[in-house]
Amino acid sequence: MRVLCSLLLLCLSFAAHAQQPREEVVLGLSQNRVSITADFDGSEILIFGAIKRETAIPKQPLEVIVTIAGPSEPLIVRRKDKRFGIWVNTDANQIDSAPSYYAVATSGPFNDVLRHTEDLRHKVSISRAIRSVGAPAEIGDSRAFTRALIRIRQDNSLFQLLEGAVEVDQQTLFRTSIALPANLTEGPYKTRIFLTRGGHVISQFETEIDVYKVGLERFLYNLSRSQPLIYGLLSLAIAIAAGWGASAAFRMLRQG
């Protein structure tokens, strides 16, 4: 009897799930590759799309969240205190993983479009995108280091919270524009689109934007990694040549 009840509940669960209206993202990008050149001063990504449905539009308003995350890396955040009139590093905390760039664009206030439990599950907000498992026993305020990291990267446009930046038209079309700063780390940038209703995620779509150095920037980057000695000698030779050229030009101007 217990087995029959379990099977009945399972069937009812599947039936209820099948009756829920499915909504999926059909996405478009203005570009899926960003090239970093010698004169690169940033870029702007236009993200647009539509909602594909199998049933009529539900009455509850649809909200859209777009996130772009650069390659993650571990890092150490240090705290400075003033000792004997000078600033010195005191405490340090290890951040296990933090994206080199992270932007969150929403169609409304963040706390209205996504519930706290859903944020915990999908790690959408900036603070949830940073992973810091533990801290040394002598550090009692480890979260202060995470907040400091967020503040510093926000000041450098590497972390962005863009509330209300996603435009939603008739609960079917959406678009947003996200600026990428000049100081980008190369690699794949994970892009996620969430559809929410009542703060709950009803659909999710993922893609990637490739950010890579090209031309001379790519050659110098590869050389610095594969042949650091040659890269150092080349840098020294360029510095000497530039200094000699500037000195020669100055002498010519004085003689003229």
Side-chain angles (χ1 to χ4, degrees):
M1 183 66 181
R2 184 177 298 175
V3 175
L4 290 176
C5 290
S6 299
L7 289 174
L8 179 60
L9 289 173
L10 185 61
C11 292
L12 290 174
S13 176
F14 281 134
H17 181 73
Q19 291 174 0
Q20 291 179 357
R22 295 188 59 187
E23 296 177 280
E24 299 178 354
V25 174
V26 181
L27 184 68
L29 296 170
S30 60
Q31 54 181 324
N32 58 8
R33 182 182 179 90
V34 176
S35 299
I36 301 177
T37 58
D39 57 349
F40 179 76
D41 60 353
S43 183
E44 191 173 66
I45 300 294
L46 175 63
I47 300 173
F48 56 93
I51 313 302
K52 182 175 67 174
R53 298 184 176 88
E54 298 177 352
T55 58
I57 299 176
K59 293 182 179 179
Q60 193 172 26
L62 176 75
E63 304 289 352
V64 180
I65 304 173
V66 179
T67 70
I68 300 180
S72 294
E73 56 190 1
L75 53 92
I76 296 177
V77 179
R78 304 183 187 276
R79 175 158 49 198
K80 289 186 177 182
D81 285 330
K82 200 170 187 179
R83 303 286 175 84
F84 306 106
I86 60 174
W87 290 95
V88 296
N89 292 326
T90 54
D91 299 329
N93 187 33
Q94 172 80 37
I95 303 294
D96 299 278
S97 179
S100 57
Y101 170 85
Y102 195 72
V104 183
T106 66
S107 56
F110 185 87
N111 293 331
D112 292 346
V113 302
L114 190 70
R115 294 196 175 186
H116 179 69
T117 53
E118 293 288 84
D119 188 20
L120 289 173
R121 177 185 176 189
H122 296 281
K123 296 178 174 57
V124 178
S125 64
I126 295 176
S127 59
R128 296 297 173 189
I130 300 172
R131 186 166 63 90
S132 182
V133 177
E138 63 272 15
I139 297 179
D141 56 344
S142 60
R143 292 184 179 179
F145 290 83
T146 301
R147 291 194 296 268
L149 173 64
I150 293 174
R151 184 179 65 255
I152 292 170
R153 294 201 167 178
Q154 282 180 330
D155 291 341
N156 290 281
S157 300
L158 291 173
F159 285 172
Q160 303 177 38
L161 175 58
L162 310 170
E163 294 180 304
V166 181
E167 299 179 12
V168 181
D169 185 19
Q170 299 181 1
Q171 300 194 53
T172 301
L173 304 176
F174 67 89
R175 69 188 300 272
T176 187
S177 180
I178 298 179
L180 301 178
N183 50 339
L184 290 178
T185 299
E186 72 168 354
Y189 280 56
K190 183 178 179 181
T191 303
R192 298 183 297 170
I193 292 88
F194 297 93
L195 304 182
T196 69
R197 289 188 187 277
H200 295 282
V201 175
I202 60 174
S203 185
Q204 178 181 351
F205 180 87
E206 293 186 7
T207 186
E208 285 187 352
I209 299 172
D210 294 325
V211 177
Y212 288 106
K213 294 181 174 68
V214 296
L216 180 61
E217 291 286 311
R218 163 57 57 182
F219 170 74
L220 294 175
Y221 178 81
N222 288 337
L223 186 64
S224 67
R225 297 298 186 274
S226 59
Q227 300 290 339
L229 178 59
I230 296 177
Y231 175 78
L233 293 174
L234 180 61
S235 300
L236 181 61
I238 292 174
I240 293 173
W244 179 86
S247 177
F250 182 73
R251 284 198 304 269
M252 291 178 62
L253 289 174
R254 290 188 62 184
Q255 292 173 1

